Amino acid sequence: KLCDMEFPEPMRFAPALGTEYWIICTTAYPEMCVRTSWFGTNEDSEFLKRGIVHVTKEAAEAHARALIALTEVKE
């Protein structure tokens, strides 16, 4: 839970090679996430370590919306 917004917990363990996953990307307008596949690279591992890896697009988008809510300008 973040900013009173709930989102699915990110993946905590490396999936099998070739597994499709989604990472949050708050700068990928209008999308809020990017689809990729697990190749076991340093980049994959860093995304996992940062807690931004999700199994579904919907989960990644919910996480991104919660993070944006922390810092967006309120009018």
Side-chain angles (χ1 to χ4, degrees), residues 1-31:
K1 192 170 182 176
L2 184 64
C3 287
D4 293 325
M5 297 179 75
E6 293 188 20
F7 59 91
E9 184 171 347
M11 293 172 63
R12 298 296 182 198
F13 300 98
L17 290 177
T19 299
E20 182 180 272
Y21 69 92
W22 296 83
I23 58 170
I24 63 169
C25 185
T26 59
T27 60
Y29 183 83
E31 300 294 327

Side-chain angles (χ1 to χ4, degrees), residues 53-69:
V53 175
H54 288 275
V55 175
T56 67
K57 179 179 184 179
E58 295 76 20
E61 287 175 339
H63 190 171
R65 282 192 296 276
L67 291 174
I68 290 168

Side-chain angles (χ1 to χ4, degrees), residues 41-59:
T41 64
N42 288 339
E43 187 175 55
D44 288 333
S45 296
E46 188 61 31
F47 292 153
L48 189 69
K49 180 180 170 186
R50 291 180 182 188
I52 60 171
V53 175
H54 288 275
V55 175
T56 67
K57 179 179 184 179
E58 295 76 20

